[in-house]
């Protein structure tokens, strides 16, 4: 029998595994980070139920709003397992803002979603500091977000990230692919590494090949392998925005999942095809390492990884030299990687013998 004097257990949110105090402490810690991302149109503090943005204060007269959301994928798992959380916030912002700039839009504001089983020792602060840094690089304001502590939803130490970004473009400057013409040149902007795609394959290779992630990389003795793999996704916004506004860019493709092969056709009209020549730029050593470790065929590389090109920029042939020079001045590494031809919508990536370790000339085509 139960002792009649025994009090029933008192339940609290903390006993269920959620710390209100930890959540409040996190908001307090990240408020200055968000404040550092203020820009015209966004100057409110965190803490409300939503964030305001004033398009008129940002200088727009007849704007279209463009929205994008994304995550970081299984790159997060590699960051968690190696206790390297500082760059994934930049990845999160990059995946969203690079998707906006290809439509001609300036990223204006960003909101993040951080979900975990339990808030642990500064991890969320490190991640959100990276998000704030990414916002500064992109010129957009971090105006809010959500931190969700959900016991039982995630394995101990795990977390997930999502981001949502809104941008604007003046109606007559929007990039929809309708300006692309046969004979246009495709410029490639160098990537900073694997970016945030293909990490399920990378992690499988790491496990199967027993990579020593905290040792110098075989292809670069000055860098640990884990540092090379987790290098944050490059944010191309500030170098591209002036060229978009000048009218010299006809279309752009952010090279994410699906690689060069599947992303470039997304910005082409039905009657145009992108011809990419892999002989025209040097395969980064990290990509060569991944290819060798996985015995990956060149065609598979073209549809899985960015292969050294994080952004494809389509311009008129007459403007190619000037646009390249402006991008180099803005800090980008630029390659001419191909051209546009008149045939069924799609992309063909080809290379000679030895390009991307091929034993014979090769080509891969994606239609659609």
């Amino acid at each position: 029998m139960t002792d009649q004097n025994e009090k029933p257990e008192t339940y609290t949110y903390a006993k269920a595994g959620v710390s209100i105090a930890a959540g409040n402490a996190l908001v307090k810690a990240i408020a200055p980070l968000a404040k550092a991302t203020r820009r015209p149109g966004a100057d409110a503090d965190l803490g409300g139920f939503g964030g305001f943005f004033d398009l008129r204060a940002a200088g727009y007269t007849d704007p279209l709003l463009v929205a994008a959301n994304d995550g970081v994928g299984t790159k997060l798992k590699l960051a968690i397992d190696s206790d390297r959380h500082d760059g994934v916030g930049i990845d999160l912002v990059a995946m969203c803002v690079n998707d906006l700039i290809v439509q001609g839009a300036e990223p204006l504001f960003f909101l993040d979603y951080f979900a975990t089983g339990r808030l642990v020792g500064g991890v969320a602060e490190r991640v959100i500091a990276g998000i704030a840094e990414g916002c500064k690089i992109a010129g957009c304001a971090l105006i809010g977000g959500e931190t969700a502590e959900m016991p039982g939803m995630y394995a101990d130490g795990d977390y997930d990230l999502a981001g949502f970004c809104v941008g604007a473009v003046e109606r007559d400057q929007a990039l929809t692919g309708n300006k692309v013409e046969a004979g246009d040149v495709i410029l490639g902007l160098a990537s900073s590494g694997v970016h945030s795609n293909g990490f399920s394959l990378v992690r499988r290779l790491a496990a199967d090949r027993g990579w020593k992630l905290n040792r110098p990389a075989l292809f670069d003795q000055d860098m640990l392998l884990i540092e090379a793999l987790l290098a944050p996704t490059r944010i191309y916004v500030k170098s591209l925005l002036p060229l978009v506004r000048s009218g010299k860019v006809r279309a752009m493709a952010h090279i994410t999942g699906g690689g060069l092969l599947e992303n470039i056709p997304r910005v082409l009209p039905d009657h145009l095809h992108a011809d990419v020549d892999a002989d025209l730029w040097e395969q980064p050593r990290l990509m060569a390492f991944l290819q060798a470790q996985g015995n990956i065929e060149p065609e598979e590389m073209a549809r899985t990884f960015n292969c050294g090109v994080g952004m494809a920029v389509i311009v008129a042939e007459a403007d190619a030299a000037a646009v390249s020079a402006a991008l180099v001045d803005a800090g980008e590494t630029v390659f001419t990687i191909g051209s546009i031809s008149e045939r069924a919508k799609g992309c063909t990536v080809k290379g000679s013998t030895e390009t991307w370790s091929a034993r014979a000339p090769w080509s891969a085509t994606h239609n659609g």
Side-chain angles (χ1 to χ4, degrees), residues 324-343:
S324 291
L327 288 167
V328 169
D329 286 346
E332 302 295 345
T333 300
V334 186
F335 320 105
T336 298
I337 65 169
S339 59
I340 303 296
S341 61
E342 185 98 34
R343 61 186 203 280

Side-chain angles (χ1 to χ4, degrees), residues 98 101 137 187-192 195 233-243 308-311 313 323-335:
N98 287 342
I101 189 66
I137 295 168
L187 303 175
L189 306 190
S191 62
S192 52
H195 286 186
T233 304
R234 187 162 180 82
I235 293 173
Y236 299 99
V237 171
K238 285 188 176 173
S239 49
L240 286 168
L241 196 57
L243 290 163
V309 174
M311 185 71 75
V313 182
V323 171
S324 291
L327 288 167
V328 169
D329 286 346
E332 302 295 345
T333 300
V334 186
F335 320 105

Side-chain angles (χ1 to χ4, degrees), residues 18-361:
V18 178
S19 171
I20 299 287
N24 290 339
L26 176 61
V27 171
K28 200 169 181 180
I30 65 177
L33 299 173
K35 200 169 187 176
T37 68
R38 283 180 170 179
R39 50 151 296 148
D43 52 17
D45 291 318
L46 290 184
F49 288 95
F52 286 100
F53 193 92
D54 184 344
L55 277 170
R56 191 179 295 171
Y60 286 88
T61 53
D62 184 23
L64 296 171
L65 289 180
V66 189
N69 72 318
D70 215 328
V72 182
T74 56
K75 186 175 188 177
L76 272 186
K77 188 65 180 159
L78 201 58
I80 290 163
D81 291 347
S82 58
D83 192 28
R84 290 173 179 266
H85 310 279
D86 304 278
V88 292
I90 297 175
D91 283 305
L92 182 68
V93 175
M95 296 305 287
C96 295
V97 299
N98 287 342
D99 278 356
L100 293 183
I101 189 66
V102 299
Q103 292 166 100
E106 175 192 12
L108 300 175
F109 60 87
F110 191 91
L111 297 102
D112 68 279
Y113 175 77
F114 179 99
T116 186
R118 184 168 62 89
L119 286 170
V120 181
V123 170
E125 286 93 329
R126 289 164 67 188
V127 172
I128 295 167
I131 293 171
E133 178 62 22
C135 286
K136 282 198 277 189
I137 295 168
C140 67
L142 178 59
I143 65 167
E146 169 70 4
T147 303
E149 196 175 21
M150 299 188 288
M153 281 287 285
Y154 296 89
D156 195 38
D158 278 358
Y159 60 85
D160 199 11
L161 270 184
F164 179 86
C165 194
V166 172
V169 56
E170 295 291 4
R171 194 176 300 271
D172 60 353
Q173 292 175 359
L175 298 181
T176 60
N178 62 353
K179 297 172 184 169
V180 183
E181 296 178 5
D184 284 352
V185 170
I186 309 170
L187 303 175
L189 306 190
S191 62
S192 52
V194 187
H195 286 186
S196 290
N197 296 98
F199 271 91
S200 294
L201 178 53
V202 169
R203 289 176 55 248
R204 178 70 184 270
L205 285 173
D208 289 355
R209 297 286 183 266
W211 291 350
K212 302 289 189 285
L213 294 170
N214 281 313
R215 300 256 184 93
L218 292 173
F219 52 87
D220 186 348
Q221 291 294 301
D222 295 329
M223 180 178 280
L224 300 181
L225 179 54
I226 189 66
E227 291 172 347
L229 293 172
L230 289 180
T233 304
R234 187 162 180 82
I235 293 173
Y236 299 99
V237 171
K238 285 188 176 173
S239 49
L240 286 168
L241 196 57
L243 290 163
V244 169
R245 289 175 168 166
S246 75
K248 286 194 167 71
V249 172
R250 291 188 164 174
M252 289 184 278
H254 180 203
I255 309 305
T256 56
L260 293 158
L261 207 53
E262 295 184 12
N263 282 292
I264 298 177
R266 294 168 66 180
V267 299
L268 298 179
D270 287 341
H271 63 290
L272 294 179
H273 196 92
D275 295 295
V276 175
D277 186 348
D279 294 356
L280 294 177
W281 77 98
E282 193 173 340
Q283 184 184 38
R285 289 177 294 173
L286 171 57
M287 296 295 167
F289 168 77
L290 294 172
Q291 185 178 5
Q293 289 282 304
N295 195 26
I296 303 170
E297 295 295 333
E299 297 88 343
E300 183 67 14
M301 291 294 291
R303 67 166 55 86
T304 303
F305 296 112
N306 64 57
C307 300
V309 174
M311 185 71 75
V313 182
I314 300 172
V315 297
E317 188 177 14
D319 291 331
V323 171
S324 291
L327 288 167
V328 169
D329 286 346
E332 302 295 345
T333 300
V334 186
F335 320 105
T336 298
I337 65 169
S339 59
I340 303 296
S341 61
E342 185 98 34
R343 61 186 203 280
K345 179 179 178 177
C347 178
T348 299
V349 181
K350 68 179 177 77
S352 305
T353 306
E354 296 187 7
T355 297
W356 297 3
S357 305
R359 298 181 194 86

